[in-house]
Amino acid sequence: MKSWAHICKENFDDDVAALLPRDLTPIFDRTGVDEPQEFATFILNKILSSSDPNPKSLKLPRFTRDIGNLVRANFEISRQNITKLRRKIVSQLNGEEKDTHLSTFVVSYAYIIVSIVKAKQLEKKGKVGFLFSGDCRSRLNPPLPTNYFGNCVIGSFVLIDTETIAEGDLIVWVVKELSRMIKELEIRVKNMSSDREIENLLNFERNIVKVADLIIGVAGSPQFGIYGTDFGWGKPNKIQIVSIDNRGAISMAESRDGNGGIEVGLVLKKHEMEMFSSLFVNGFKDM
């Protein structure tokens, strides 16, 4: 995206690839990813033998949600509120903060998850799954450069039963789970070609999607710096990731004003959005 924007802004007429700066020149060399020869065949055979195959198709995916009752909104978690949130979580960790990943992504994502769960009134009884994609480039040995152009991510997911968690501890529990998932990425990347890890990925839909009352995924990332992408007519005023309309996921990006905060986009039913907005705003007031 940034390479494309650079080309448009500079309005090159000659050989584009030669004029791109080094950090924006895509690297297509796949040899840096140590993938067993049978890896692709194994996955293909598993998909084809599945009772619910999803064959390749050029048709648009079917919209499974009733869009008539859905509304979209963007919310910002300022750097100050992220600090307040982190302090509140630390105060409830009982000395476990050294072993807990308390990045901006983790604390923000946890706050959004809990707010959505409560807005949908699932905190008393419900099975909630949450997932995100982890960047594997820096976790490989040797690591891949940041301008490697290709799929090099791994999905992390977990299913929780909110009925077994005390209401006051829900956000701490989610933070601990997210922290555990991030730490496990290192091990999972090393074992990516193992039959067990492949089975875990292929069984995701069967084991989680079909039993969860709610799944909250993440599209985008605050690390992308999308608000700094200029195609020649200035930086964007607002970013929307349209795929979250159908998937029930949230979008995440850096704050558009560059203050170190997080911008979150989500799509909910109207009454759920009103409840979420109230929980989101009042939650920070109580900290």
Side-chain angles (χ1 to χ4, degrees), residues 36-78:
Q37 272 191 327
E38 68 277 7
F39 185 77
T41 303
F42 180 90
I43 292 181
L44 181 60
N45 289 336
K46 283 290 183 181
I47 293 175
L48 293 176
S49 63
S50 170
S51 58
D52 185 22
N54 182 24
K56 290 182 178 181
S57 173
L58 294 178
K59 294 181 180 179
L60 291 173
R62 186 178 168 213
F63 205 92
T64 57
R65 302 175 80 187
D66 178 13
I67 62 173
N69 194 29
L70 295 179
V71 293
R72 173 194 289 274
N74 281 20
F75 295 84
E76 182 179 3
I77 306 178
S78 67

Side-chain angles (χ1 to χ4, degrees), residues 53-273:
N54 182 24
K56 290 182 178 181
S57 173
L58 294 178
K59 294 181 180 179
L60 291 173
R62 186 178 168 213
F63 205 92
T64 57
R65 302 175 80 187
D66 178 13
I67 62 173
N69 194 29
L70 295 179
V71 293
R72 173 194 289 274
N74 281 20
F75 295 84
E76 182 179 3
I77 306 178
S78 67
R79 184 171 58 181
Q80 292 78 10
N81 280 339
I82 290 171
T83 299
K84 290 166 63 175
L85 181 57
R86 188 179 286 116
R87 287 174 179 168
K88 179 181 179 180
I89 294 170
V90 168
S91 70
Q92 299 178 26
L93 282 173
N94 299 320
E96 299 179 62
E97 58 269 17
K98 290 183 179 180
D99 299 321
T100 307
H101 202 77
L102 294 172
S103 66
T104 296
F105 169 78
V106 167
V107 298
S108 301
Y109 188 23
Y111 186 72
I112 296 298
I113 288 173
V114 173
S115 298
I116 293 176
V117 167
K118 290 183 177 181
K120 288 180 171 288
Q121 299 182 333
L122 293 173
E123 73 270 25
K124 299 296 183 183
K125 185 178 181 180
K127 295 185 182 298
V128 179
F130 47 91
L131 62 146
F132 61 88
S133 296
D135 186 352
C136 298
R137 290 173 300 180
S138 63
R139 294 181 168 94
L140 294 176
N141 186 20
L144 293 177
T146 56
N147 51 341
Y148 172 79
F149 193 86
N151 287 330
C152 194
V153 296
I154 186 172
S156 292
F157 43 84
V158 70
L159 183 69
I160 67 172
D161 190 340
T162 58
E163 191 176 18
T164 64
I165 305 169
E167 182 176 348
D169 296 330
L170 183 55
I171 190 168
V172 175
W173 198 94
V174 172
V175 166
K176 287 181 178 180
E177 280 298 294
L178 289 172
S179 179
R180 178 188 61 80
M181 292 159 69
I182 290 173
K183 290 178 181 178
E184 287 183 354
L185 280 176
E186 307 288 343
I187 300 173
R188 293 185 60 207
V189 169
K190 293 178 182 178
N191 297 330
M192 192 58 239
S193 60
S194 69
D195 289 353
R196 181 178 179 181
E197 187 61 38
I198 295 171
E199 284 287 353
N200 287 339
L201 291 173
L202 293 176
N203 288 335
F204 167 65
E205 182 175 356
R206 222 168 22 246
N207 295 339
I208 294 185
V209 174
K210 293 184 179 180
V211 299
D213 299 298
L214 173 68
I215 294 179
I216 307 171
V218 179
S221 168
Q223 301 296 324
F224 289 167
I226 195 68
Y227 275 109
T229 305
D230 184 356
F231 280 83
W233 52 79
K235 296 179 181 179
N237 291 319
K238 189 175 183 180
I239 299 297
Q240 299 279 17
I241 299 182
V242 297
S243 62
I244 66 173
D245 291 1
N246 193 27
R247 297 178 181 175
I250 65 170
S251 65
M252 293 186 76
E254 77 282 5
S255 293
R256 68 187 77 180
D257 56 8
N259 66 2
I262 297 291
E263 184 176 286
V264 178
L266 66 158
V267 177
L268 296 172
K269 295 178 180 178
K270 185 176 180 180
H271 71 280
E272 294 172 346
M273 187 66 81

